[in-house]
Amino acid sequence: MSELTTIERSPDPERPPARSERRPSIAAHIQAMDQSRKGALLLLLATVAAIVWANVGLGSYHDFWETRFNIGVSDLQLEFTLHALVNDALMAIFFFTVGLEVRREFVIGELTSWSRALVPTLAAIAGLAVPALLYVLVSSGSGQEHAWGIVISTDTAFLVGALALIGPHANGRLRVFLLALAVIDDIGALSILALVYTDDFSFAPLLIAAVGLVGIYYVRYMPGGRGPVYASLSVVVWLAFLASGVHPTLAGVAIALLVPVYRPSRRDVEHALQLARTFRQSPNTEYARAAANSLRESISINERLQTAYAPYVAFVILPVFALANAGVELGGDIIAAALRSPITWGVIVGLLVGKFLGIFGSAVVLKILRIGHFGPGLSLDRIAGGSLLCGIGFTISLFIVDIAIDDPAAQNEARVGVIAASLLAFLLATILFRISDARHPAEETGATLARPIDPERDHVFGADDAPYTIVEYGDFQCGFCLKASGSIQEVHRELGDRLRYVWRHAPLTQYHPNALAAAEASEAASLQGKFFEYERALFVDQEHQLPTDILRRAEELGLDMDRFEKDLGSAEVAARVREDMLDAEVMDITAAPTLFINGRRHVGPYDAKSLIRALEEAEPMAEPPKADAGTSD
């Protein structure tokens, strides 16, 4: 354990005096939620438009989407309908983005750690199996029992958008849980789509597809010009899947799983910055091209493609898909037939009841058995609301309706079930989330420390049995956090071994662009037992926290540089910082520093005398059970 020493530095004198710096709730999270909200609203509008068109268009809806045309040259011709073009070609791009997300989550995201992935993985598996079983039971005798694939998948776009619209307060951890679950759900749905709903299978074209996929894998080693090669090989693979009888949308997934993904290297970022500085000093075409290429290559192609395609998928492809597939006729006879149809009720029960029982039921069992990890904010009532939202099976459900059912009347009944289940899921989830917010008011949640102190996980200075504890949520570039650190050092000199100090991360990413990188660097240093030394180095010089500074400090502290750079890019380090940020969101921490005195939130000045007085007046810390498997708040 490192020694706390005085930091001879004052905050920037030009800063306006204030108690602390404000922070928004994770800026990237807000931006993603905003795009998801707009995408979900547009998808909803397209669905309503399709239903209106199908019911008042006097047959024009189906005639339009069955319009036929040819694509090709000479004797090489492909005949499509507009409906097939949307479902086979445009949706391949959608499934490509799904595959990119799947690969990212397994390489650098939530599914890299088995402890974090266990609960959403088991919940997703149950959320695939239980709906299918209920559908088969309810639709028994309809002749469409084989269409159970309709109810297995959750619409990720609607799920995230609905969560942004109606989700509970501070839902970051619930969103992470549901996104991890949705990734597993997508894998299951795509696997079933390939294995169960593939007709007229031909093996030879798949050999061509395999050669194309091998080529796509090795494109990463080309020194330049990779974009056109990726595009050409992707078209070949898609055509080969189409000729094989395997649904061509799965080509998008196969291609995406071979696209490289990695976290940015500090050295690559610094190299890009050096080229940018060179261009500024001597602006010319050669330096501009080199700087642009270096900046682009410092981010993995997986991340670049996700960013590039996301707006098109959310605002074009999915709304067009809804317009082409959600046109359910709702005349009196049709509604009456749907109400009597075991297919309609099988879909409703499968999506609404099956998803809820599978996901929420498995979460309850795992919690009782103390298996897996439930972090603060991921309470069972919130999981219940999220489980209901997973009953929105819109996109892939409608997609499988078209593949699994040939009878137009039965297709219509299934679509009625999908839309009804999705609407009911949205309404019931809204009610549950409002109840959850009433049970967990933000002011009460943030008054006490949400996650207990764990010496094996937290950065702790002082004895575990110390009578006084200060937990700080801070930012290494925050001048007020620097001031608080100086005060805490004075408190330590006064109280000695009676004080235990804990640091947790709450980087002000909107105001301090390098704060997140500094937090991750401190975590990489902690893996070599140098957290507090690295923390002190960051606070000593807050103005210099660029990649070169991060690496220089590690070298000055005598760290193993190869290991340090590898850890900087690891999912473990990123997850460690993200966990603290999600905890801060749960406790409605909107300022740095935020201090907790013996587990209670400190309100007021944080000079040494005020902190000592607050410690002496505070009740002994009632330490909750150690955060382990199955616990949640």
Side-chain angles (χ1 to χ4, degrees), residues 2 21 28 42 53 63 122 145 149 159 179 213-214 223 233 254 258 261 321 333 339 366 422 501 506 547 559 579 625:
S2 303
E21 296 195 37
L42 192 57
W53 185 6
D63 292 343
L122 294 179
E145 295 89 342
L159 172 69
L179 283 177
L213 290 172
V214 170
L233 290 175
L258 297 175
V261 58
F321 171 81
D333 293 341
L339 290 174
L366 292 172
S422 299
Y501 169 68
L559 300 180
E579 281 289 305

PDB file of all heavy atoms in Angstrom, residues 2 21 28 42 53 63 122 145 149 159 179 213-214 223 233 254 258 261 321 333 339 366 422 501 506 547 559 579 625:
ATOM      1  N   SER A   2       0.599   2.154  -0.865  1.00  0.00           N
ATOM      2  CA  SER A   2       1.445   3.324  -1.043  1.00  0.00           C
ATOM      3  C   SER A   2       1.168   4.376  -0.003  1.00  0.00           C
ATOM      4  O   SER A   2       0.112   4.456   0.585  1.00  0.00           O
ATOM      5  CB  SER A   2       1.228   3.906  -2.435  1.00  0.00           C
ATOM      6  OG  SER A   2       1.500   2.928  -3.408  1.00  0.00           O
ATOM      7  N   GLU A  21     -17.045  20.403  -9.643  1.00  0.00           N
ATOM      8  CA  GLU A  21     -17.365  20.490 -11.059  1.00  0.00           C
ATOM      9  C   GLU A  21     -18.525  19.567 -11.362  1.00  0.00           C
ATOM     10  O   GLU A  21     -18.591  18.448 -10.896  1.00  0.00           O
ATOM     11  CB  GLU A  21     -16.144  20.100 -11.898  1.00  0.00           C
ATOM     12  CG  GLU A  21     -14.988  21.070 -11.716  1.00  0.00           C
ATOM     13  CD  GLU A  21     -13.947  20.897 -12.791  1.00  0.00           C
ATOM     14  OE1 GLU A  21     -14.294  20.637 -13.945  1.00  0.00           O
ATOM     15  OE2 GLU A  21     -12.763  21.012 -12.456  1.00  0.00           O
ATOM     16  N   ALA A  28     -21.457   9.786 -23.611  1.00  0.00           N
ATOM     17  CA  ALA A  28     -21.643   8.831 -24.699  1.00  0.00           C
ATOM     18  C   ALA A  28     -22.936   8.052 -24.538  1.00  0.00           C
ATOM     19  O   ALA A  28     -23.632   7.747 -25.508  1.00  0.00           O
ATOM     20  CB  ALA A  28     -20.454   7.870 -24.755  1.00  0.00           C
ATOM     21  N   LEU A  42     -39.004   6.686 -35.213  1.00  0.00           N
ATOM     22  CA  LEU A  42     -39.144   6.586 -36.665  1.00  0.00           C
ATOM     23  C   LEU A  42     -39.640   5.201 -37.065  1.00  0.00           C
ATOM     24  O   LEU A  42     -40.470   5.053 -37.973  1.00  0.00           O
ATOM     25  CB  LEU A  42     -37.799   6.887 -37.333  1.00  0.00           C
ATOM     26  CG  LEU A  42     -37.822   7.099 -38.848  1.00  0.00           C
ATOM     27  CD1 LEU A  42     -38.764   8.231 -39.220  1.00  0.00           C
ATOM     28  CD2 LEU A  42     -36.414   7.395 -39.357  1.00  0.00           C
ATOM     29  N   TRP A  53     -51.482   2.229 -44.676  1.00  0.00           N
ATOM     30  CA  TRP A  53     -51.388   1.988 -46.118  1.00  0.00           C
ATOM     31  C   TRP A  53     -52.061   0.667 -46.500  1.00  0.00           C
ATOM     32  O   TRP A  53     -52.812   0.597 -47.477  1.00  0.00           O
ATOM     33  CB  TRP A  53     -49.919   2.004 -46.519  1.00  0.00           C
ATOM     34  CG  TRP A  53     -49.651   1.883 -47.988  1.00  0.00           C
ATOM     35  CD1 TRP A  53     -50.558   1.871 -49.013  1.00  0.00           C
ATOM     36  CD2 TRP A  53     -48.360   1.767 -48.597  1.00  0.00           C
ATOM     37  NE1 TRP A  53     -49.920   1.752 -50.219  1.00  0.00           N
ATOM     38  CE2 TRP A  53     -48.572   1.689 -50.002  1.00  0.00           C
ATOM     39  CE3 TRP A  53     -47.056   1.747 -48.098  1.00  0.00           C
ATOM     40  CZ2 TRP A  53     -47.503   1.566 -50.899  1.00  0.00           C
ATOM     41  CZ3 TRP A  53     -46.004   1.631 -48.993  1.00  0.00           C
ATOM     42  CH2 TRP A  53     -46.224   1.541 -50.378  1.00  0.00           C
ATOM     43  N   ASP A  63     -49.367  -4.749 -53.840  1.00  0.00           N
ATOM     44  CA  ASP A  63     -48.946  -4.629 -55.231  1.00  0.00           C
ATOM     45  C   ASP A  63     -47.612  -3.908 -55.343  1.00  0.00           C
ATOM     46  O   ASP A  63     -46.744  -4.289 -56.145  1.00  0.00           O
ATOM     47  CB  ASP A  63     -50.010  -3.861 -56.040  1.00  0.00           C
ATOM     48  CG  ASP A  63     -51.301  -4.652 -56.187  1.00  0.00           C
ATOM     49  OD1 ASP A  63     -51.265  -5.881 -55.965  1.00  0.00           O
ATOM     50  OD2 ASP A  63     -52.345  -4.032 -56.501  1.00  0.00           O
ATOM     51  N   LEU A 122     -27.297 -16.579 -19.368  1.00  0.00           N
ATOM     52  CA  LEU A 122     -28.292 -17.569 -18.933  1.00  0.00           C
ATOM     53  C   LEU A 122     -29.708 -17.022 -19.104  1.00  0.00           C
ATOM     54  O   LEU A 122     -30.630 -17.756 -19.486  1.00  0.00           O
ATOM     55  CB  LEU A 122     -28.038 -17.959 -17.471  1.00  0.00           C
ATOM     56  CG  LEU A 122     -26.719 -18.701 -17.207  1.00  0.00           C
ATOM     57  CD1 LEU A 122     -26.567 -19.008 -15.727  1.00  0.00           C
ATOM     58  CD2 LEU A 122     -26.651 -19.990 -18.026  1.00  0.00           C
ATOM     59  N   GLU A 145     -46.954 -24.930 -35.993  1.00  0.00           N
ATOM     60  CA  GLU A 145     -46.124 -25.065 -34.785  1.00  0.00           C
ATOM     61  C   GLU A 145     -44.641 -24.864 -35.095  1.00  0.00           C
ATOM     62  O   GLU A 145     -43.865 -24.420 -34.237  1.00  0.00           O
ATOM     63  CB  GLU A 145     -46.327 -26.440 -34.147  1.00  0.00           C
ATOM     64  CG  GLU A 145     -47.722 -26.689 -33.609  1.00  0.00           C
ATOM     65  CD  GLU A 145     -48.659 -27.283 -34.671  1.00  0.00           C
ATOM     66  OE1 GLU A 145     -48.314 -27.172 -35.878  1.00  0.00           O
ATOM     67  OE2 GLU A 145     -49.697 -27.829 -34.304  1.00  0.00           O
ATOM     68  N   GLY A 149     -39.913 -19.932 -34.239  1.00  0.00           N
ATOM     69  CA  GLY A 149     -38.826 -18.951 -34.322  1.00  0.00           C
ATOM     70  C   GLY A 149     -39.308 -17.512 -34.277  1.00  0.00           C
ATOM     71  O   GLY A 149     -38.536 -16.603 -33.975  1.00  0.00           O
ATOM     72  N   LEU A 159     -35.947  -2.146 -28.374  1.00  0.00           N
ATOM     73  CA  LEU A 159     -35.627  -2.320 -26.955  1.00  0.00           C
ATOM     74  C   LEU A 159     -34.862  -1.112 -26.418  1.00  0.00           C
ATOM     75  O   LEU A 159     -35.245  -0.523 -25.397  1.00  0.00           O
ATOM     76  CB  LEU A 159     -34.796  -3.593 -26.771  1.00  0.00           C
ATOM     77  CG  LEU A 159     -34.203  -3.836 -25.383  1.00  0.00           C
ATOM     78  CD1 LEU A 159     -35.287  -4.156 -24.369  1.00  0.00           C
ATOM     79  CD2 LEU A 159     -33.163  -4.959 -25.429  1.00  0.00           C
ATOM     80  N   LEU A 179     -28.442  -4.950 -23.262  1.00  0.00           N
ATOM     81  CA  LEU A 179     -27.684  -5.020 -24.506  1.00  0.00           C
ATOM     82  C   LEU A 179     -26.873  -6.307 -24.585  1.00  0.00           C
ATOM     83  O   LEU A 179     -26.800  -6.951 -25.638  1.00  0.00           O
ATOM     84  CB  LEU A 179     -26.764  -3.809 -24.634  1.00  0.00           C
ATOM     85  CG  LEU A 179     -27.435  -2.505 -25.053  1.00  0.00           C
ATOM     86  CD1 LEU A 179     -26.417  -1.363 -25.058  1.00  0.00           C
ATOM     87  CD2 LEU A 179     -28.068  -2.636 -26.422  1.00  0.00           C
ATOM     88  N   LEU A 213     -14.843 -15.444 -47.469  1.00  0.00           N
ATOM     89  CA  LEU A 213     -14.691 -15.086 -46.054  1.00  0.00           C
ATOM     90  C   LEU A 213     -13.228 -15.169 -45.621  1.00  0.00           C
ATOM     91  O   LEU A 213     -12.763 -14.339 -44.826  1.00  0.00           O
ATOM     92  CB  LEU A 213     -15.557 -16.011 -45.196  1.00  0.00           C
ATOM     93  CG  LEU A 213     -17.069 -15.795 -45.323  1.00  0.00           C
ATOM     94  CD1 LEU A 213     -17.838 -16.889 -44.594  1.00  0.00           C
ATOM     95  CD2 LEU A 213     -17.472 -14.429 -44.774  1.00  0.00           C
ATOM     96  N   VAL A 214     -12.501 -16.155 -46.145  1.00  0.00           N
ATOM     97  CA  VAL A 214     -11.067 -16.240 -45.847  1.00  0.00           C
ATOM     98  C   VAL A 214     -10.362 -14.991 -46.380  1.00  0.00           C
ATOM     99  O   VAL A 214      -9.498 -14.398 -45.713  1.00  0.00           O
ATOM    100  CB  VAL A 214     -10.457 -17.517 -46.460  1.00  0.00           C
ATOM    101  CG1 VAL A 214      -8.930 -17.483 -46.356  1.00  0.00           C
ATOM    102  CG2 VAL A 214     -11.001 -18.750 -45.757  1.00  0.00           C
ATOM    103  N   PRO A 223      -1.681  -3.089 -46.776  1.00  0.00           N
ATOM    104  CA  PRO A 223      -1.188  -1.788 -46.299  1.00  0.00           C
ATOM    105  C   PRO A 223      -2.140  -0.644 -46.578  1.00  0.00           C
ATOM    106  O   PRO A 223      -2.081   0.392 -45.919  1.00  0.00           O
ATOM    107  CB  PRO A 223       0.131  -1.619 -47.066  1.00  0.00           C
ATOM    108  CG  PRO A 223      -0.036  -2.456 -48.301  1.00  0.00           C
ATOM    109  CD  PRO A 223      -0.879  -3.622 -47.889  1.00  0.00           C
ATOM    110  N   LEU A 233     -15.465  -8.348 -51.932  1.00  0.00           N
ATOM    111  CA  LEU A 233     -15.580  -9.698 -51.375  1.00  0.00           C
ATOM    112  C   LEU A 233     -16.913  -9.894 -50.650  1.00  0.00           C
ATOM    113  O   LEU A 233     -17.488 -10.989 -50.673  1.00  0.00           O
ATOM    114  CB  LEU A 233     -14.418  -9.963 -50.415  1.00  0.00           C
ATOM    115  CG  LEU A 233     -13.032 -10.121 -51.068  1.00  0.00           C
ATOM    116  CD1 LEU A 233     -11.941 -10.253 -50.000  1.00  0.00           C
ATOM    117  CD2 LEU A 233     -13.009 -11.338 -51.982  1.00  0.00           C
ATOM    118  N   ALA A 254     -21.729 -13.265 -40.966  1.00  0.00           N
ATOM    119  CA  ALA A 254     -20.462 -13.970 -41.169  1.00  0.00           C
ATOM    120  C   ALA A 254     -19.335 -12.995 -41.484  1.00  0.00           C
ATOM    121  O   ALA A 254     -18.212 -13.126 -40.979  1.00  0.00           O
ATOM    122  CB  ALA A 254     -20.618 -14.987 -42.296  1.00  0.00           C
ATOM    123  N   LEU A 258     -15.649 -11.374 -38.897  1.00  0.00           N
ATOM    124  CA  LEU A 258     -14.249 -11.425 -39.316  1.00  0.00           C
ATOM    125  C   LEU A 258     -13.604 -10.046 -39.368  1.00  0.00           C
ATOM    126  O   LEU A 258     -12.426  -9.916 -39.663  1.00  0.00           O
ATOM    127  CB  LEU A 258     -14.152 -12.075 -40.704  1.00  0.00           C
ATOM    128  CG  LEU A 258     -14.610 -13.537 -40.774  1.00  0.00           C
ATOM    129  CD1 LEU A 258     -14.592 -14.028 -42.213  1.00  0.00           C
ATOM    130  CD2 LEU A 258     -13.729 -14.425 -39.908  1.00  0.00           C
ATOM    131  N   VAL A 261     -11.449  -5.927 -34.436  1.00  0.00           N
ATOM    132  CA  VAL A 261     -11.870  -4.955 -33.431  1.00  0.00           C
ATOM    133  C   VAL A 261     -10.806  -4.908 -32.340  1.00  0.00           C
ATOM    134  O   VAL A 261     -10.269  -5.946 -31.949  1.00  0.00           O
ATOM    135  CB  VAL A 261     -13.255  -5.321 -32.838  1.00  0.00           C
ATOM    136  CG1 VAL A 261     -13.255  -6.701 -32.202  1.00  0.00           C
ATOM    137  CG2 VAL A 261     -13.701  -4.276 -31.819  1.00  0.00           C
ATOM    138  N   PHE A 321     -37.825  -1.428 -43.668  1.00  0.00           N
ATOM    139  CA  PHE A 321     -38.231  -2.809 -43.381  1.00  0.00           C
ATOM    140  C   PHE A 321     -39.610  -2.844 -42.735  1.00  0.00           C
ATOM    141  O   PHE A 321     -40.462  -3.661 -43.107  1.00  0.00           O
ATOM    142  CB  PHE A 321     -37.204  -3.466 -42.451  1.00  0.00           C
ATOM    143  CG  PHE A 321     -37.662  -4.807 -41.926  1.00  0.00           C
ATOM    144  CD1 PHE A 321     -37.528  -5.952 -42.699  1.00  0.00           C
ATOM    145  CD2 PHE A 321     -38.233  -4.923 -40.669  1.00  0.00           C
ATOM    146  CE1 PHE A 321     -37.963  -7.182 -42.231  1.00  0.00           C
ATOM    147  CE2 PHE A 321     -38.670  -6.143 -40.194  1.00  0.00           C
ATOM    148  CZ  PHE A 321     -38.527  -7.283 -40.971  1.00  0.00           C
ATOM    149  N   ASP A 333     -63.347  -8.751 -39.953  1.00  0.00           N
ATOM    150  CA  ASP A 333     -63.244 -10.203 -40.108  1.00  0.00           C
ATOM    151  C   ASP A 333     -61.839 -10.692 -39.766  1.00  0.00           C
ATOM    152  O   ASP A 333     -61.667 -11.750 -39.149  1.00  0.00           O
ATOM    153  CB  ASP A 333     -63.596 -10.596 -41.542  1.00  0.00           C
ATOM    154  CG  ASP A 333     -65.062 -10.338 -41.871  1.00  0.00           C
ATOM    155  OD1 ASP A 333     -65.855 -10.213 -40.908  1.00  0.00           O
ATOM    156  OD2 ASP A 333     -65.394 -10.269 -43.070  1.00  0.00           O
ATOM    157  N   LEU A 339     -58.276 -13.043 -33.292  1.00  0.00           N
ATOM    158  CA  LEU A 339     -58.626 -13.277 -31.890  1.00  0.00           C
ATOM    159  C   LEU A 339     -58.911 -14.746 -31.621  1.00  0.00           C
ATOM    160  O   LEU A 339     -58.741 -15.226 -30.493  1.00  0.00           O
ATOM    161  CB  LEU A 339     -59.832 -12.418 -31.503  1.00  0.00           C
ATOM    162  CG  LEU A 339     -59.581 -10.911 -31.407  1.00  0.00           C
ATOM    163  CD1 LEU A 339     -60.882 -10.159 -31.154  1.00  0.00           C
ATOM    164  CD2 LEU A 339     -58.576 -10.612 -30.301  1.00  0.00           C
ATOM    165  N   LEU A 366     -31.091 -17.176 -10.315  1.00  0.00           N
ATOM    166  CA  LEU A 366     -29.661 -16.906 -10.157  1.00  0.00           C
ATOM    167  C   LEU A 366     -29.390 -16.084  -8.906  1.00  0.00           C
ATOM    168  O   LEU A 366     -28.387 -16.307  -8.209  1.00  0.00           O
ATOM    169  CB  LEU A 366     -29.136 -16.171 -11.392  1.00  0.00           C
ATOM    170  CG  LEU A 366     -29.096 -16.989 -12.688  1.00  0.00           C
ATOM    171  CD1 LEU A 366     -28.736 -16.096 -13.869  1.00  0.00           C
ATOM    172  CD2 LEU A 366     -28.101 -18.132 -12.579  1.00  0.00           C
ATOM    173  N   SER A 422     -45.939  -6.616 -28.902  1.00  0.00           N
ATOM    174  CA  SER A 422     -44.968  -5.528 -28.755  1.00  0.00           C
ATOM    175  C   SER A 422     -45.602  -4.325 -28.069  1.00  0.00           C
ATOM    176  O   SER A 422     -44.983  -3.693 -27.197  1.00  0.00           O
ATOM    177  CB  SER A 422     -44.424  -5.131 -30.127  1.00  0.00           C
ATOM    178  OG  SER A 422     -43.754  -6.223 -30.746  1.00  0.00           O
ATOM    179  N   TYR A 501      -9.226   5.385   3.324  1.00  0.00           N
ATOM    180  CA  TYR A 501      -9.578   6.220   2.165  1.00  0.00           C
ATOM    181  C   TYR A 501      -9.732   5.329   0.938  1.00  0.00           C
ATOM    182  O   TYR A 501      -8.909   4.432   0.693  1.00  0.00           O
ATOM    183  CB  TYR A 501      -8.498   7.268   1.924  1.00  0.00           C
ATOM    184  CG  TYR A 501      -8.626   7.995   0.606  1.00  0.00           C
ATOM    185  CD1 TYR A 501      -9.677   8.871   0.356  1.00  0.00           C
ATOM    186  CD2 TYR A 501      -7.681   7.799  -0.410  1.00  0.00           C
ATOM    187  CE1 TYR A 501      -9.788   9.538  -0.856  1.00  0.00           C
ATOM    188  CE2 TYR A 501      -7.778   8.459  -1.619  1.00  0.00           C
ATOM    189  CZ  TYR A 501      -8.838   9.322  -1.844  1.00  0.00           C
ATOM    190  OH  TYR A 501      -8.951   9.969  -3.038  1.00  0.00           O
ATOM    191  N   ALA A 506     -14.991   8.901 -11.398  1.00  0.00           N
ATOM    192  CA  ALA A 506     -16.151   9.602 -11.955  1.00  0.00           C
ATOM    193  C   ALA A 506     -15.632  10.674 -12.909  1.00  0.00           C
ATOM    194  O   ALA A 506     -15.753  11.867 -12.665  1.00  0.00           O
ATOM    195  CB  ALA A 506     -16.993  10.230 -10.849  1.00  0.00           C
ATOM    196  N   PRO A 547      -1.499  10.911 -24.443  1.00  0.00           N
ATOM    197  CA  PRO A 547      -0.937   9.555 -24.479  1.00  0.00           C
ATOM    198  C   PRO A 547       0.556   9.487 -24.157  1.00  0.00           C
ATOM    199  O   PRO A 547       0.994   8.586 -23.431  1.00  0.00           O
ATOM    200  CB  PRO A 547      -1.228   9.108 -25.918  1.00  0.00           C
ATOM    201  CG  PRO A 547      -2.486   9.839 -26.273  1.00  0.00           C
ATOM    202  CD  PRO A 547      -2.372  11.174 -25.607  1.00  0.00           C
ATOM    203  N   LEU A 559       7.344   0.833 -14.343  1.00  0.00           N
ATOM    204  CA  LEU A 559       6.403  -0.224 -14.706  1.00  0.00           C
ATOM    205  C   LEU A 559       6.902  -1.013 -15.910  1.00  0.00           C
ATOM    206  O   LEU A 559       7.686  -0.502 -16.720  1.00  0.00           O
ATOM    207  CB  LEU A 559       5.031   0.374 -15.023  1.00  0.00           C
ATOM    208  CG  LEU A 559       4.334   1.152 -13.903  1.00  0.00           C
ATOM    209  CD1 LEU A 559       2.982   1.669 -14.381  1.00  0.00           C
ATOM    210  CD2 LEU A 559       4.149   0.272 -12.678  1.00  0.00           C
ATOM    211  N   GLU A 579     -17.514   0.409 -14.452  1.00  0.00           N
ATOM    212  CA  GLU A 579     -18.296  -0.007 -13.287  1.00  0.00           C
ATOM    213  C   GLU A 579     -18.433   1.138 -12.286  1.00  0.00           C
ATOM    214  O   GLU A 579     -19.518   1.388 -11.749  1.00  0.00           O
ATOM    215  CB  GLU A 579     -17.625  -1.208 -12.607  1.00  0.00           C
ATOM    216  CG  GLU A 579     -17.875  -2.527 -13.285  1.00  0.00           C
ATOM    217  CD  GLU A 579     -19.302  -2.988 -13.113  1.00  0.00           C
ATOM    218  OE1 GLU A 579     -19.773  -3.091 -11.963  1.00  0.00           O
ATOM    219  OE2 GLU A 579     -19.972  -3.233 -14.135  1.00  0.00           O
ATOM    220  N   PRO A 625     -23.185  -6.402   3.297  1.00  0.00           N
ATOM    221  CA  PRO A 625     -22.441  -7.607   2.930  1.00  0.00           C
ATOM    222  C   PRO A 625     -21.536  -7.334   1.745  1.00  0.00           C
ATOM    223  O   PRO A 625     -21.857  -6.545   0.864  1.00  0.00           O
ATOM    224  CB  PRO A 625     -23.554  -8.604   2.562  1.00  0.00           C
ATOM    225  CG  PRO A 625     -24.766  -8.081   3.229  1.00  0.00           C
ATOM    226  CD  PRO A 625     -24.622  -6.599   3.268  1.00  0.00           C
TER     227      PRO A 625
END
